[in-house]
Amino acid sequence: MIIHQGYINLSLRSPSVTLGIFDGVHRGHMTLLNRLTDKSKETKGESLVVTFSPHPRLVLENGDKPLFFLTTMDEKIVRLEKAGIDHLVLIEFSREFSTIPACDFIKNILVDKIGTKHLILGFNHHFGRKGEGDFDTITNCAEAHHFTVEQVQGFHTEEGAISSSVIREALLTGRIDEANKWLGYYYSLSGSVISGRQIGRSIGFPTANIEPDDTHKLIPMNGVYAVQVQLDGSTHPGMLSIGTNPTVNSEPGQRTIEVNILNFNKDIYGCKLTITFRKRLRGEVKFENLEKLSAQMELDKQQVIELLG
C-alpha cells in the first residue's frame, strides 16, 4: 500500500475510492473495503482510501470530554494494508477544511485531484460542511462530474449494525469477547514499559507497567485480562491488570496498566511491547491483604495457562 500525505501530484489508474475515519477497521468497515477492492479489480483500476488526521472530533469538539479511539493511525494503516488497499491518502483535517461544502470537496479533491472514477460509501455516510454530503447529494454530484457512486449496506448482527461506537462501548463495559468478535481480530494496545512501585514483585508476580503510545487510545474497563504480549519479535502469555490497585491504595489512585508475563524474568524497562486482549477474567477487587491478592493471582495465572498455554 502506498501512503500519500495529501492529494497533490497523484497519478492513479481509474481509482475506486472510499473515504471515512475507519476507527477500528472493524468487520463493518471490511464489508466496504472488500467491495472497494472487488470494484478496482472489476475495472482494472486501483483502490484508494481517503482518511483524515488528526481525527475530526479532536479538532471540532471543545475538549470538555476526553476522546478515545479504537486505533491509532499506525494501527489503522496496518489494518488497511492487510485489507489489500492499493493507496491511502491522508488529508490534514482543520477547522478551515471542515467548512468545505460537500460538492466542492467532491469536485475539487475527489475528482480534480484524485481522479475518482468510482466512489463507494457506507450505509450512513455523511461528509462535507455540517455533514451535508449524504448519499443523495453525492449521487447528484456524481452525475455532474461523470463518476459512479455505490452504497454498501454494512455488516449487521442480531443486535444491529456494527459500528465503532458500539465496539467502544463494549470495551468500556468489559465485554471484550463481543468487541473482538465485532472487530474481527483481537483488540490490542502498544506502549513502553515504565517504572512502577514493584509491589507485584514482592508477592511473586513481577509486573511491567505500561504507558500507552497514544493518549487517545481507548483502554478497556478495569479488571484482569488474559493477554498475549509481543516483545522483541516473540509472543508470551500474560495476565494484565487495569485499575487503581485498591488493595494497596487506601484512596483511589491513578489508573495503571500492569502485565505479568508468565515464565519471564528479564529487565525490559524502556522496551516497547504490544498487548493483545484475549479474555476478561474478572473485575477489579479490593482484597483484605497482599496474601489474599497473591492467592487470587495464582488462580488468575492458572486460567491464563488454560486459555493460552
Side-chain angles (χ1 to χ4, degrees):
M1 184 174 72
I2 301 172
I3 301 172
H4 307 270
Q5 299 291 337
Y7 42 78
I8 306 301
N9 298 324
L10 296 181
S11 180
L12 305 172
R13 184 179 72 256
S14 187
S16 296
V17 176
T18 191
L19 67 157
I21 303 303
F22 298 101
D23 185 29
V25 195
H26 52 66
R27 294 176 72 184
H29 294 139
M30 287 305 302
T31 301
L32 175 63
L33 296 172
N34 289 339
R35 178 58 193 142
L36 178 70
T37 56
D38 287 347
K39 185 67 174 181
S40 67
K41 292 173 184 175
E42 292 169 10
T43 59
K44 296 181 171 58
E46 297 176 284
S47 58
L48 183 146
V49 169
V50 175
T51 194
F52 307 94
S53 181
H55 193 294
R57 291 181 63 192
L58 294 174
V59 175
L60 299 177
E61 298 188 13
N62 57 23
D64 290 341
K65 183 179 179 181
L67 296 174
F68 300 103
F69 308 113
L70 300 172
T71 41
T72 66
M73 182 56 72
D74 287 345
E75 291 168 338
K76 195 180 299 185
I77 288 170
V78 169
R79 289 287 159 191
L80 290 171
E81 187 164 26
K82 286 184 177 180
I85 303 303
D86 296 319
H87 298 269
L88 175 63
V89 169
L90 299 176
I91 295 180
E92 182 179 357
F93 193 88
S94 64
R95 286 191 174 274
E96 181 181 4
F97 183 86
S98 72
T99 64
I100 299 175
C103 279
D104 287 354
F105 175 81
I106 291 171
K107 178 186 182 301
N108 298 335
I109 297 176
L110 292 185
V111 176
D112 293 347
K113 298 296 185 182
I114 293 176
T116 301
K117 298 299 182 186
H118 314 280
L119 183 62
I120 301 178
L121 299 171
F123 71 97
N124 191 29
H125 188 87
H126 290 75
F127 68 90
R129 181 181 57 193
K130 297 181 180 180
E132 64 190 9
D134 59 15
F135 185 71
D136 291 336
T137 302
I138 296 163
T139 300
N140 292 334
C141 292
E143 293 176 359
H145 298 294
H146 311 294
F147 65 91
T148 63
V149 61
E150 177 180 343
Q151 190 173 44
V152 175
Q153 289 305 308
F155 185 88
H156 290 72
T157 68
E158 294 179 357
E159 294 85 1
I162 297 295
S163 70
S164 301
S165 59
V166 166
I167 297 172
R168 286 193 289 267
E169 179 64 20
L171 290 169
L172 291 171
T173 54
R175 294 177 288 130
I176 193 76
D177 291 342
E178 291 181 32
N180 287 338
K181 179 177 70 173
W182 295 334
L183 283 168
Y185 57 89
Y186 294 113
Y187 189 68
S188 66
L189 68 86
S190 298
S192 300
V193 180
I194 59 174
S195 60
R197 297 168 61 185
Q198 299 188 344
I199 293 173
R201 185 177 300 276
S202 70
I203 59 174
F205 293 95
T207 59
N209 285 55
I210 311 302
E211 183 177 75
D213 289 339
D214 190 318
T215 57
H216 295 290
K217 176 72 175 182
L218 186 147
I219 308 303
M221 184 181 186
N222 288 1
V224 177
Y225 295 81
V227 299
Q228 289 176 309
V229 182
Q230 286 83 45
L231 173 66
D232 293 334
S234 299
T235 301
H236 310 270
M239 52 183 178
L240 177 132
S241 173
I242 301 173
T244 59
N245 300 310
T247 302
V248 297
N249 291 321
S250 56
E251 297 181 2
Q254 182 179 357
R255 197 178 190 214
T256 60
I257 306 168
E258 304 176 49
V259 62
N260 170 251
I261 307 174
L262 273 57
N263 304 316
F264 186 89
N265 192 26
K266 295 181 180 178
D267 184 352
I268 55 173
Y269 285 120
C271 292
K272 295 278 189 178
L273 51 73
T274 297
I275 303 293
T276 302
F277 290 81
R278 297 295 301 270
K279 190 172 185 64
R280 189 170 189 264
L281 302 180
R282 59 179 175 85
E284 186 176 43
V285 177
K286 181 176 182 178
F287 294 93
E288 293 180 14
N289 51 53
L290 290 177
E291 289 74 18
K292 291 190 176 182
L293 171 59
S294 178
Q296 179 60 56
M297 292 182 71
E298 185 61 45
L299 296 176
D300 297 336
K301 177 181 176 180
Q302 294 308 312
Q303 275 194 275
V304 172
I305 292 171
E306 291 174 9
L307 286 166
L308 306 180

